Amino acid sequence: MPNMLAARPPLGWNSWNTFGADVNETVVLEAAEALVRTGLRESGYLYVVIDDVWQADTRTTGGELQADPDKFPRGIGPLAQDIHAMGLQFGIYTCAGTHTCADRVASYGHEWEDARTFAGWGVDFLKVDFCNVPPGVDGPMLYHRMGQALRESGREIVFSACEWGIQQPWKWGRAAGCHLWRTTGDIGDGWESILRIGFRNVADWAAYGGPNGWNDLDMLVVGIRGGGNVGQDHCTDAEYRVHFAQWCLQASPLMIGCDLRQATAGDIALLGHAGLLEINQDPLGVSARRIAPAEDLWDWADLPVYRKPMADGSLAIGIFNLTERDRKFLSVAWETLGLRPDQPYRVTDVIAGQPLGTHRGSIAVPVAAHDVAVLRLFPVAGP
Ligand code: GAL
């Protein structure tokens, strides 16, 4: 029986998008404290994950991974304990190759001893990157290998594959024991990056995600606002909404990437939005699919509608305006949603938290440029 460590998409915080190589014990503890203080822990953001460049230059004489003593003077175990004491879970990073993407010591050929080390430190979540894999070595095999090592480590550890989608990990990740797998290369804090990662090629992988095996669209850039380690031209508030709404509709794991100590009230409100998180965490675990006929109509290409069936029989839909022009009305017909036109639905505007009344046949909503409307459609007594 496979374990069910990730029955819902894992939520948390990861150091990379803000701190990059400058990660250390203080910023990790302060991020954990901020999760508690802002209420985001209560919203479900439980994993505090240290990404690359936590490692010392070499293994111990016994062959174990060890932390950079300047950055983590107490080592990793005591830090994990502190995180646990805050009601949170602890995550860390290694790489399937000989060295990480930032050229630190990694786990190739050391999978079993490293899995044991991580288990001994109290690790609950392990991200495994894909740089510096020796030529000719089969990538999926390495993830199978680490999956086995983790299962034999004596601790339940969520396994996060970061293979960037190159060998379609949605097809083999589950069998390898991965609970989530990245679908693309790295996210940046900019509109083009949101479009590339969140909207292109969704059809390739959406069908494969679900409970205990999630399509990971990469860490969030909400609140980065051009700073941090992945700052680009940065997103507007509406663009962050598009990003977060689509990650929720896709049932992607949500790993906050911003500096929570400095995040604005608006950013915290978006990250903790109960209605959007309910869509993300729905037990059915379906990744939203783009509905017909938008696929085929060239003038609809930038006005996509995504549909996510929910466990309670309702539908969550995202009506996106990816164009440069505000739209007064974007309408969706019941038939394109796979619904009978005479069936009435009670509709709510999820982001605004407002009821929109009962509708038959179709619904139209205004959506500004680079923004989104997220609706829930609840069936009411039949026609
Ligand atoms: C990349 C990975 C990023 C980050 C970085 C660290 O390969 O996709 O998410 O982990 O390596 O070096």
Side-chain angles (χ1 to χ4, degrees), residues 12-247:
W13 177 88
N14 174 299
S15 60
W16 186 254
N17 282 0
T18 290
F19 297 101
D22 291 331
V23 66
N24 59 50
E25 166 165 326
T26 306
V27 299
V28 174
L29 280 173
E30 288 181 2
E33 280 157 16
L35 283 176
V36 177
R37 188 177 61 246
T38 54
L40 290 170
R41 178 189 64 179
E42 297 318 306
S43 303
Y45 290 91
L46 290 183
Y47 292 98
V48 176
V49 182
I50 302 179
D51 208 284
D52 203 355
V53 204
W54 60 269
Q55 310 87 337
D57 289 339
T58 56
R59 290 176 176 269
T60 64
T61 45
E64 290 170 337
L65 285 175
Q66 57 182 339
D68 179 330
D70 293 330
K71 294 176 169 177
F72 297 93
R74 297 185 298 152
I76 299 295
L79 173 58
Q81 267 180 23
D82 289 354
I83 302 282
H84 289 150
M86 296 164 85
L88 295 162
Q89 305 266 298
F90 179 71
I92 203 162
Y93 163 105
T94 189
C95 187
T98 55
H99 291 81
T100 71
C101 300
D103 221 23
R104 296 299 161 126
V105 180
S107 293
Y108 179 76
H110 296 267
E111 290 81 359
W112 272 266
E113 59 199 291
D114 290 354
R116 257 199 320 276
T117 301
F118 294 136
W121 287 343
V123 166
D124 306 296
F125 179 108
L126 181 67
K127 171 173 171 180
V128 180
D129 216 336
F130 197 57
C131 283
N132 301 307
V133 170
V137 173
D138 179 49
M141 179 278 290
L142 288 182
Y143 284 93
H144 277 266
R145 193 189 270 182
M146 185 58 97
Q148 195 176 341
L150 289 174
R151 280 193 300 279
E152 293 171 8
S153 72
R155 191 173 168 89
E156 297 199 314
I157 297 178
V158 172
F159 183 15
S160 161
C162 179
E163 178 265 13
W164 320 305
I166 49 181
Q167 286 186 78
Q168 302 184 304
W170 42 91
K171 294 193 175 159
W172 50 263
R174 209 179 269 279
C178 306
H179 299 96
L180 54 155
W181 43 80
R182 281 269 297 276
T183 51
T184 65
D186 291 7
I187 197 167
D189 183 19
W191 181 240
E192 280 308 316
S193 182
I194 301 304
L195 293 182
R196 179 173 58 83
I197 290 178
F199 292 88
R200 304 200 185 118
N201 309 321
V202 168
D204 292 350
W205 42 257
Y208 296 89
N212 225 32
W214 303 100
N215 297 305
D216 174 6
L217 277 65
D218 202 0
M219 284 115 38
L220 299 170
V221 292
V222 173
I224 300 255
R225 299 195 173 272
N229 185 41
V230 292
Q232 294 183 350
D233 43 354
H234 86 78
C235 294
T236 64
D237 287 346
E239 290 167 350
Y240 283 138
R241 262 196 305 277
V242 166
H243 163 41
F244 192 70
Q246 178 69 328
W247 267 233

